[in-house]
Amino acid sequence: MSKKETILHAATRLFAEKGFKETSIAELSKTTGAAEGTIFYHFKNKEDIFLSILEDTRKRVIEEFDRYLEEGEFDSGLNMIESAISFYFYLAGMMEEQFLLLHRRHPHELAEVNPVCREHLEAIYNCFVNGFEQAILLGQKDGSIRTMSSKRTALIIFSMVDGLVRFKTYNLYNAGALHKEFMELCRRMLQKKQIQE
Amino acid sequence: MSKKETILHAATRLFAEKGFKETSIAELSKTTGAAEGTIFYHFKNKEDIFLSILEDTRKRVIEEFDRYLEEGEFDSGLNMIESAISFYFYLAGMMEEQFLLLHRRHPHELAEVNPVCREHLEAIYNCFVNGFEQAILLGQKDGSIRTMSSKRTALIIFSMVDGLVRFKTYNLYNAGALHKEFMELCRRMLQKKQIQE
DNA sequence: AAAAACCGGTTGAACGCTCAGTCTAAAAAC
DNA sequence: GTTTTTAGACTGAGCGTTCAACCGGTTTTT
């Protein structure tokens, strides 16, 4: 692994766990073994490191999502959105540090003044929201999902799923054990044919 | 309003909008008109200001929630949880700055090392989660809500509702218009008698 | 009644420290 | 021989916190 990559990896972890402002270049230098000068040789400033991380995250998320779409076999739209939700949970576990970073306020605040940052964030979020929407549209076509605004429902689903992941990272409660129930509740609110009890 | 209250109000806004670390005492001094020394006369340090805000927030949330419970009339558990969710949205609007603050990572990180902070946070969250759970239990008794783990469902509902509020504050999408659909989806996933379509 | 002591609140300059970023000259890696 | 990396000294700004002094009003002493 090149020195630049080493710096990027360590920065991802530090920014995710401690925050952007709370991580100093001196600390980044110490944990990577790279001199401070080396860091500024590869990146023009601290913010540039952050944007590079975001760019990598974006690439990785889209890459993983595309692979998921290729590999997956879905027998209905409802089935597809369920697996899309599961995939989100899976990815949040696989890319824990990056998701931690995305759940911080800093990227969203930066996005308000930095178009590059904004573009990365939107690309990442759109990836999931569009994925959810496609599944809903498919489900409405094949009759597994009831009729409603696909766009708005996709947004709500996304906010729900993301809310649960966030809930888990803040771990005030043990939210890890809620996955199964959560999926069941999602199914109920989406499906057309309802089980009469 | 006393100088101490002025400081507390301004700090709430600044900590919420800019973050704890990103807000300097100098800025707090300038916006309140209080000298820096005055701030440290009333609070022993910066963290003490933060904890005071959290204490006030806790009191206010519990006070408002109690009033809501007293004033409300609910004809079923399902009806009660719907109004509890609405109440959460209402309060998030009324106490926008405090909710913004609670949605930051800082209070949760502080809670991990500071028991006082932790206690405030838990009291605030328990207030809502317990409220949701009571409604679910009532609904299961009166037959409006289907049988499932009341505790876990309450947690999921909370993470969902909170996720939507958070989504709104980050405003990547226009999440304000999702309230109606969100309520409809919640009803569907909770209710016992289902509409056959 | 005048003077002195006392009080909570307030002031802003000053202190010690950390930080992002710069710079240099030399060494190592390719 | 060009690119990358090193160690560290340095700058200038910003930070939280401290502190002696000050203010206006009340109480105590003379």
Side-chain angles (χ1 to χ4, degrees):
Chain A
M1 192 159 53
S2 74
K3 209 101 206 183
K4 189 174 178 182
E5 284 174 306
T6 310
I7 294 168
L8 227 34
H9 275 97
T12 306
R13 187 173 56 79
L14 289 171
F15 288 164
E17 285 174 7
K18 305 185 53 179
F20 180 78
K21 191 95 186 266
E22 291 75 10
T23 301
S24 70
I25 299 294
E27 188 178 2
L28 187 53
S29 159
K30 210 191 287 179
T31 61
T32 53
E36 299 196 20
T38 308
I39 296 172
F40 287 104
Y41 172 78
H42 288 294
F43 305 93
K44 76 171 196 279
N45 53 33
K46 200 180 172 187
E47 189 174 297
D48 189 35
I49 304 177
F50 188 81
L51 291 175
S52 294
I53 293 173
L54 225 51
E55 192 183 339
D56 287 355
T57 304
R58 171 192 183 163
K59 276 186 200 151
R60 173 89 188 279
V61 163
I62 287 169
E63 182 188 306
E64 296 277 352
F65 196 79
D66 285 346
R67 186 157 62 212
Y68 149 80
L69 280 181
E70 275 175 33
E71 288 177 4
E73 286 285 330
F74 316 109
D75 52 355
S76 74
L78 185 62
N79 181 262
M80 183 176 172
I81 198 163
E82 278 180 51
S83 81
I85 291 171
S86 281
F87 170 77
Y88 189 87
F89 288 137
Y90 158 79
L91 207 62
M94 281 295 293
M95 303 176 62
E96 198 178 349
E97 280 163 9
Q98 285 96 327
F99 272 68
L100 227 59
L101 200 66
L102 290 173
H103 282 168
R104 288 199 170 264
R105 257 286 249 296
H106 179 256
H108 300 89
E109 276 165 357
L110 186 59
E112 281 173 21
V113 294
N114 184 318
V116 177
C117 177
R118 183 177 180 85
E119 220 222 313
H120 288 324
L121 277 191
E122 285 192 350
I124 293 168
Y125 288 135
N126 280 334
C127 175
F128 294 115
V129 174
N130 291 340
F132 290 155
E133 190 181 3
Q134 292 310 312
I136 292 172
L137 287 170
L138 177 67
Q140 288 174 340
K141 210 173 276 177
D142 69 28
S144 58
I145 294 179
R146 44 183 270 266
T147 313
M148 53 191 162
S149 163
S150 63
K151 184 76 190 166
R152 286 191 206 147
T153 308
L155 283 173
I156 291 175
I157 295 272
F158 180 66
S159 85
M160 282 170 52
V161 175
D162 203 55
L164 195 62
V165 171
R166 213 173 232 130
F167 207 63
K168 198 173 163 186
T169 66
Y170 283 5
N171 68 336
L172 275 172
Y173 301 95
N174 175 24
L178 302 175
H179 189 161
K180 216 187 77 190
E181 264 100 346
F182 183 84
M183 294 301 298
E184 166 70 14
L185 291 173
C186 282
R187 201 177 311 124
R188 285 206 169 242
M189 63 189 233
L190 293 172
Q191 69 191 352
K192 194 161 196 170
K193 287 214 177 145
Q194 308 257 354
I195 307 103
Q196 199 82 25
E197 295 184 45
Chain B
M1 192 159 53
S2 74
K3 208 110 205 178
K4 189 175 178 181
E5 284 173 306
T6 310
I7 294 168
L8 226 35
H9 274 99
T12 305
R13 188 173 56 79
L14 289 171
F15 288 165
E17 285 174 7
K18 306 186 50 178
F20 180 78
K21 191 91 186 268
E22 291 75 11
T23 300
S24 70
I25 300 295
E27 187 177 2
L28 187 53
S29 158
K30 212 192 283 178
T31 61
T32 53
E36 303 196 18
T38 308
I39 295 172
F40 287 101
Y41 171 79
H42 289 293
F43 305 93
K44 76 170 196 280
N45 53 33
K46 201 181 171 187
E47 188 174 299
D48 189 34
I49 305 176
F50 189 81
L51 291 175
S52 294
I53 293 172
L54 225 51
E55 192 182 341
D56 286 356
T57 304
R58 170 190 184 165
K59 277 186 199 150
R60 173 88 187 280
V61 163
I62 287 169
E63 183 188 305
E64 296 278 351
F65 197 79
D66 285 346
R67 187 158 62 211
Y68 149 79
L69 281 181
E70 275 175 31
E71 287 177 5
E73 286 285 329
F74 316 107
D75 52 354
S76 75
L78 185 62
N79 180 262
M80 182 175 173
I81 199 162
E82 279 181 51
S83 81
I85 292 170
S86 282
F87 171 76
Y88 189 88
F89 288 136
Y90 157 79
L91 207 62
M94 282 295 294
M95 303 176 62
E96 199 177 349
E97 280 163 9
Q98 284 97 328
F99 272 68
L100 227 58
L101 199 67
L102 290 172
H103 281 167
R104 288 199 168 264
R105 255 292 247 295
H106 180 255
H108 299 89
E109 277 165 357
L110 186 58
E112 281 173 21
V113 295
N114 185 318
V116 177
C117 177
R118 183 174 181 87
E119 220 222 313
H120 288 324
L121 276 192
E122 287 193 348
I124 292 167
Y125 288 134
N126 281 334
C127 175
F128 294 115
V129 174
N130 291 340
F132 291 154
E133 189 180 4
Q134 292 310 312
I136 292 171
L137 287 170
L138 177 67
Q140 288 175 338
K141 211 173 275 178
D142 69 28
S144 58
I145 294 179
R146 45 183 269 266
T147 311
M148 52 191 164
S149 162
S150 62
K151 184 76 190 166
R152 286 190 206 150
T153 309
L155 283 173
I156 291 175
I157 295 272
F158 180 66
S159 84
M160 283 170 51
V161 175
D162 204 55
L164 195 62
V165 171
R166 213 172 232 131
F167 206 63
K168 199 173 162 186
T169 65
Y170 283 4
N171 68 336
L172 274 172
Y173 301 93
N174 174 24
L178 302 175
H179 189 162
K180 216 187 78 190
E181 263 100 347
F182 183 83
M183 293 301 298
E184 166 69 14
L185 291 173
C186 281
R187 200 178 310 124
R188 285 205 168 242
M189 63 189 234
L190 293 172
Q191 70 191 349
K192 195 162 198 170
K193 287 215 176 143
Q194 309 256 354
I195 306 104
Q196 199 83 22
E197 296 185 45

